[in-house]
Amino acid sequence: MGAHRLLVLCLALAAAVAAGQRPSAVTVGALFTYESTIGRAARLAIELAVDDVNADTVVLAGTKLNLITQDTNCSSFLGTIQALELMEKSVIAVIGPQSSGIAHVISHVVNELHVPLLSFAATDPTLSASEYPYFLRSTISDYFQMHAVASIVDYYQWKVVTAIFVDDNYGRGGVSVLGDALEAKRARISYKAAIPPNSNADVISDVLFTANMMESRVFVVHVNPDTGMRLFSIANKLRMMASGYVWIVTDWLAAVLDSSRSRDLDHMSYIQGIIFLRQHTPDSDAKTKFISKWNNVARDRSIDSALNLYGFYAYDSVWIVANAIDRFLDSGQQINFSADPRLHDSNGSTLHLSTLKIFDGGEQLLQQLLLTNITGLTGQVRFDSDRNLVQPAYDILNIGGSESRLIGYWSNYSGLSVTSPEILYRKPPNTSTSAQQLYSVVWPGDTTTKPRGWVFPNNGQPLRVGVPDKLSFKELVSGGTGPDNVSGYNIDIFNAAIKLLPYPVPCQFIVIGDGISNPNYDNIISRISTNSLDAAVGDFSIVKNRTKIAEFTQPYIEAGLVIVAPARHATSSAWAFLKPFTVEMWCVTGALFIFVGVVVWILEHRTNEEFRGSPRQQVLTIFWFSFSTMFFAHRQDTGSALGRFVLIIWLFVVLIINSSYTASLTSILTVQQLGTGITGLDNLVASPLPIGYQTGKFVRNYLIDELKIPESRLVPLTTVQEYADALNRGPENGGVAAIVDEMPYVEILLSSHCNFRIVGQQFTREGWGFAFRRDSPLAADVSTAILELSESGQLRRIHDKWFTDPSCRSEDSGLGAVQLSLGSFWGLFLVCALICVLAVMAFFARVYWQYSRYSNSGAAGEPGDAAAITNAIVAEIQPTKPKPTRLGSFKELMQFVDKKEEEIKKIMKRRLSEKDTWAAGSSDPSPQKVFTDFKSFR
């Protein structure tokens, strides 16, 4: 019994030991096309990587990595067959394939069998982790390459491009992302030229010929490496590599050029001036050693092609798989396969589906792959949350002569730059427009001048130009009797601008409207966005909602909104001279005249003889001086500094009052007055009166949406005569109080109707422009032509040809003069009054100071005579009753103020002289003398 237990224990221990042992070998597969530009470089790179892994003493130590390769022959069908054969051999991971189309098919197989698929060349961005969870990409996705292309297009300010691509998963997926990337830069793909896979030269020629008929001269080429050079050979024959063309090529060309051991000069002549991208890989010692090793082995095996960047990614892919398997085994996982019950061979079937097994550890190995963080030949190898390689970057090169020249870099970190990404990664990211830069480029045709990037399409289709046919305002645009007879101010400007373009633009005018009613202008603009029209010419205002669906040129005429109202001549009266000021204004002005007269009298009374005399004479002087300043006819001169300062300020106020009164009275007696009381926009909006507008224009929506005017107040009008009739009838007779319309229409109205006037100021700043499709280069070129017309004076001459000068323009000034109220002058009056008050305060402060000195000089006598002097003064002032001290002091002060300043100075001077005599010891002055002086002062 004990021996039996010991045997069971030993067997269990042996099983446990066996379970923890690493397998002696693991098998991985590789799928790619042997005889292809990418496959020739990748095949040898993968073999060298397997040898290096097996020679390594750390990674997979004690476990040999076996490799099984299968040739997909650039066929999705054959690739699927080869993948199934590979799965029969119990591989735990697959490296490849190089084709995005084959990757789409094979990914379904590996999803079912839980075998991770690591591709080093399938760049199609639609190979997403959500759809293909076992697919992983060890190269850069075309998602980033297309954003790099969009950045280049935006850098050179091109707005439309033509995409030439191979019509498969790889081509369609890349172009789809390119369209989104360009849209984010406010550019677009104007034409997609799809080339069927394996096309012959005739098919490619037809595709290029059609693309050359389009407007864009910026071509983005996204095709396969093995057929791409044929495209440029054909493009050269079609003269599409000449000056004015732009070619931006994705990284397939870099693979072709890098794989060529000796550059074919004939082939290089086809691609002069193009820009192409190449995945950026930093230089390193490991990379240099591998290149040398690859070249030596390739020479020994007589391999004609050279190494390209996909060889680096293939080499790194082997190491990614090896490290993941090593971690997988270190975690105690075992390599086991189990049958899929859904896969079984039907009777007579020779497919051997039952040999396909599910890898039980596939999910765990996939997680280990996602945790990769190594430094390979291509730089840091690490996956982000979207399973893309971190820090994607591209070199941007330009071909000139027999070599290519680096003109910059693109990275997802900082955009375009002439600094290598490795340096930028150590700095804060900066993707601003000012930070984007590239070195100079030699373009096709051996020129350094940046091509315009587009021409008018040479497809035999003229520019379809919509023209509104209206019932009125024929001076602006008229459909005439058909498309060949359109005329008007707007048509003349458009034709003049088209003639200035550096290329011919055939135009076909399409008349829109019946000439009886006005067409809806917004509907015409919307036809451009639906591709029913290429352009619209007419009196189209540039407003917000239209700029969202069309591209407008620079305005060629200002067309802001104004208000037109009827006017009438004012009737005069005998009291018209009182109308310039309101009653309040008259009262305050008169009071201020008297107030200033009193202030000047106070300031001048002590020093100026003209302001002295009897009380009656002084009152008359105040009134005469005050009102004579109105005509600057005052005869009294001011002598004091304060009086002169106050007078200067007052004369300025009088000048303003006189000028305002004269202007207002002239306006009242000579100009027309508004018939409806509408004086401006605020007044119009606040009133309940009806408002006219032109049918079909944006004015109606503006009044309702922006000014919040009820629709019930709006009256649609069409012709100039309807305008005049509605204004003449007025609100009382079914007309309108005013019309809101654009300035050019109003000019035409006023040229023949002098009884209407513009009320207030222009309250919007719109202009008229020509509309084109969104991002159309024609809009920019026509805008430049309009500027040339303006600078040469032709724009003014066309305006004068169609717009006649109003015969009643001289009466426009002063329309609707109103009374001037206190609100227009209260600030001026307040300043004047404050200055007067301050001057009076300064005057009395000086008087008080003089009075203090005077009192002190009179009270300082000798002790022996003080009593006599005091008694004499008291007796003189109040001989019979006691003196009320405060009242007496106030009278003395008033008497002091009324006294001429010159006499006060003489008395003070004499008193100071007597003080000096007393101080020197002379005899005291007699009380009689002091008393006599006081009497003389009184």
Side-chain angles (χ1 to χ4, degrees), residues 906-921:
K906 288 180 180 180
I907 294 174
M908 291 179 63
K909 183 176 181 180
R910 185 173 67 251
R911 288 181 176 180
L912 290 174
S913 175
E914 292 175 352
K915 284 184 180 180
D916 291 341
T917 302
W918 289 341

Side-chain angles (χ1 to χ4, degrees), residues 826-844:
W826 72 267
L828 184 66
F829 288 174
L830 179 62
V831 171
C832 179
L834 287 176
I835 290 175
C836 291
V837 171
L838 291 175
V840 171
M841 292 174 63
F843 169 79
F844 279 108

